[in-house]
Amino acid sequence: MPDPTPAPIPSPNLSVCPSLDLSGDDILVVGIAADDGDASMLTPSSTMVDQACGGRLAAWAQQRDGLKKCGHITMTTMPIGDQGLTTVVLVGLGRLEKLTRDDVFRAVASSVRSLSDTPCQSIAIGLGLDVAPSLHDGIAAGALFACEYQSIYRKSSGHQLPEQISLAGVNDQALHRGRALGHAINLTRRLVNEPPTIMNPSEFADRAVAMASDVGLKSETWDEAKLAAENCEAILAVGRGSSSPPRLVTLRHDGGGDQPPVILVGKGVTFDSGGLSLKPSDGMVDMKCDMAGAATVVGVMRAVAELNLPLNVVGICGLAENMVSGDSYKLGDVIQTRSGKTIEILNTDAEGRVVLADALDVACDMNPAAIVDLATLTGACMVALGQEVAGLMTNQDDLASAIESAAQTEGEPVWQLPMFELYDDKVQSKVADIKNVGEGRWGGAITAAKFLENFVRGNPWLHIDIAGPAFADSAKSHRDAGATGVMVRTLVRWLESSC
């Protein structure tokens, strides 16, 4: 039986123009701000519309409270010149001097999403006339981000997506960066949102390689024979119970000459049943998202290539499906990893760290400047930090500080957890070098990171646990439920700051 055909990833044509064109049939998106007295205030973009409709917009806005609140969206129609009634979306921007990159990103995404049930072929966004130029790339990225939904296999999703989005006051450089970010985030989201039977290790590898070819990255895929030849017994063990064999994909951007590469490593468990330590149905239903770390790596590598960063950057994706069969790896097994260290398996549902053990060792062979791994690794991180905050754990605080700064700039919340030596004993095994779970339920996110630290050979390394923010159960005004693409913006910002 053939696989169902998904909707293509939306890619409306983005263009820039010096000012807001009021002569066409576009739906207009303009800003409204709060003044020093916290009253509503027209911005340059909404002033243009107000002048074109004879002051009606200002009069209408004065009668409504709350418009100035950042992210607030409201819609009306106004007579613009001889064009007849034109749909106008007002976007609250709050105090303009306090606007952040994330505020702009979300405001634009919310405004475009608010039109999802409104037939429209073209949208003209005027916020580039209202906000600082340093925030303009967020306008382009947010506009693209809004167009991706999780309903990729519905016969009729009901979403009306524009073919054309024009951005007034945005320059070509901001458009280029914002477009690269938007496409990268949406690629990450699409990889995660695909059903697990389709997005198995082989399919993930094929899509990553196809993307690499499109944007000029070098790529290499290790199949099960090559994994065996490379002694990647940890990845092979996790994938042994599945009819879809494991893979390891390497993506390479050579932009930094002889500099040592920055290496991004992603956990790519394309579906996690828990293995013999079987999850209950409620805990398994969204486990297609357990490859979000690898999907994030693919998305970041796409942006790195499109922005042509003057760095050497490598992305490594360890891909396996954790299933149950007569050949599944078992509790009590001892696995010799690629590094030579042995792992005692005490829970087959702690499989992501086992996959990463081999992937991190591959990274260490490349003489890295730094290694950053991303993984939907532990429910314990969600217990500690909630569903919207990523956990950072590191062997080098300067590296964590740099990425924390990038995350703060982009508005993606992170928090560093301690890596005290006292946690080392929690992963020591009596029959092997280490075990794949700690002692009991306490400190689970940190003990998982301590496990990973055994495979980085002392290289500068940061582990990002994205178990909470990578996948959302419910929608928000600026995004659909499902995959979020978290950390793509942060990692691109950090890499740019490293140039």
Side-chain angles (χ1 to χ4, degrees), residues 46-229:
S46 54
T47 296
M48 287 184 64
V49 175
D50 185 58
Q51 292 172 347
C53 65
R56 289 180 177 87
L57 186 64
W60 181 86
Q62 288 173 3
Q63 299 172 15
R64 286 157 178 83
D65 293 328
L67 294 185
K68 62 186 179 295
K69 182 179 179 182
C70 190
H72 182 95
I73 306 293
T74 191
M75 193 181 309
T76 187
T77 56
M78 289 288 161
I80 306 292
D82 298 328
Q83 305 300 313
L85 291 177
T86 297
T87 299
V88 179
V89 178
L90 272 78
V91 184
L93 298 175
R95 300 282 293 274
L96 294 179
E97 69 274 13
K98 293 184 177 180
L99 270 176
T100 67
R101 299 184 62 78
D102 193 50
D103 288 337
V104 172
F105 178 86
R106 291 186 181 220
V108 172
S110 296
S111 66
V112 174
R113 274 177 54 83
S114 73
L115 297 167
S116 65
D117 58 357
T118 303
C120 62
Q121 289 191 328
S122 58
I123 300 173
I125 298 176
L127 302 190
L129 305 173
D130 303 336
V131 306
S134 60
L135 308 179
H136 283 185
D137 57 305
I139 298 174
L144 288 175
F145 180 83
C147 295
E148 174 72 358
Y149 289 80
Q150 66 172 343
S151 53
I152 54 180
Y153 286 97
R154 290 182 63 178
K155 186 175 181 181
S156 176
S157 69
H159 303 305
Q160 306 287 334
L161 299 177
E163 296 180 4
Q164 172 76 33
I165 300 177
S166 62
L167 310 176
V170 173
N171 63 44
D172 289 336
Q173 183 178 0
L175 174 67
H176 177 59
R177 186 179 191 276
R179 182 189 281 133
L181 284 176
H183 285 317
I185 297 167
N186 284 349
L187 172 60
T188 294
R189 295 166 72 196
R190 178 58 66 94
L191 290 170
V192 176
N193 281 335
E194 286 276 14
T197 299
I198 292 174
M199 193 53 61
N200 56 39
S202 295
E203 178 66 16
F204 187 106
D206 289 346
R207 294 204 194 184
V209 169
M211 180 279 295
S213 177
D214 288 342
V215 299
L217 294 169
K218 297 177 182 177
S219 65
E220 183 179 6
T221 300
W222 291 0
D223 62 11
E224 58 269 41
K226 178 65 172 177
L227 288 167

Side-chain angles (χ1 to χ4, degrees), residues 400-437:
S401 296
I403 290 183
E404 188 173 10
S405 176
Q408 186 174 12
T409 298
E410 294 297 330
E412 295 188 312
V414 300
W415 194 259
Q416 186 175 350
L417 297 174
M419 288 282 282
F420 301 133
E421 289 185 7
L422 61 89
Y423 290 104
D424 290 331
D425 291 340
K426 308 298 183 185
V427 294
Q428 297 305 305
S429 167
K430 296 179 180 178
V431 299
D433 293 319
I434 53 175
K435 56 187 179 182
N436 76 325
V437 290

Side-chain angles (χ1 to χ4, degrees), residues 23 64 157 202 228 302 337 371 481 491:
S23 64
R64 286 157 178 83
S157 69
S202 295
R302 172 176 175 149
T337 66
I371 301 172
L491 289 175

Side-chain angles (χ1 to χ4, degrees), residues 151-351:
S151 53
I152 54 180
Y153 286 97
R154 290 182 63 178
K155 186 175 181 181
S156 176
S157 69
H159 303 305
Q160 306 287 334
L161 299 177
E163 296 180 4
Q164 172 76 33
I165 300 177
S166 62
L167 310 176
V170 173
N171 63 44
D172 289 336
Q173 183 178 0
L175 174 67
H176 177 59
R177 186 179 191 276
R179 182 189 281 133
L181 284 176
H183 285 317
I185 297 167
N186 284 349
L187 172 60
T188 294
R189 295 166 72 196
R190 178 58 66 94
L191 290 170
V192 176
N193 281 335
E194 286 276 14
T197 299
I198 292 174
M199 193 53 61
N200 56 39
S202 295
E203 178 66 16
F204 187 106
D206 289 346
R207 294 204 194 184
V209 169
M211 180 279 295
S213 177
D214 288 342
V215 299
L217 294 169
K218 297 177 182 177
S219 65
E220 183 179 6
T221 300
W222 291 0
D223 62 11
E224 58 269 41
K226 178 65 172 177
L227 288 167
E230 288 285 339
N231 299 314
C232 293
E233 296 299 330
I235 294 176
L236 289 167
V238 173
R240 203 164 59 216
S242 172
S243 59
S244 297
R247 295 286 186 267
L248 186 139
V249 174
T250 301
L251 308 172
R252 183 184 295 272
H253 170 75
D254 294 326
D258 295 331
Q259 300 173 13
V262 175
I263 303 184
L264 309 176
V265 180
K267 170 190 171 183
V269 177
T270 58
F271 186 74
D272 181 19
S273 71
L276 294 178
S277 303
L278 194 66
K279 294 178 183 288
S281 293
D282 287 347
M284 201 188 302
V285 67
D286 60 0
M287 280 297 102
K288 67 180 183 180
C289 79
D290 216 20
M291 36 64 78
T296 305
V297 168
V298 172
V300 172
M301 292 302 299
R302 172 176 175 149
V304 165
E306 292 199 322
L307 296 173
N308 195 24
L309 297 188
L311 290 171
N312 295 326
V313 187
V314 178
I316 298 174
C317 302
L319 307 167
E321 189 177 64
N322 188 24
M323 297 294 286
V324 180
S325 77
D327 204 27
S328 296
Y329 80 130
K330 304 170 181 65
L331 285 77
D333 277 354
V334 174
I335 299 167
Q336 181 162 305
T337 66
R338 186 177 188 272
S339 72
K341 291 185 177 180
T342 54
I343 304 171
E344 180 187 14
I345 302 300
L346 297 180
N347 187 328
T348 63
D349 195 23
E351 84 301 326

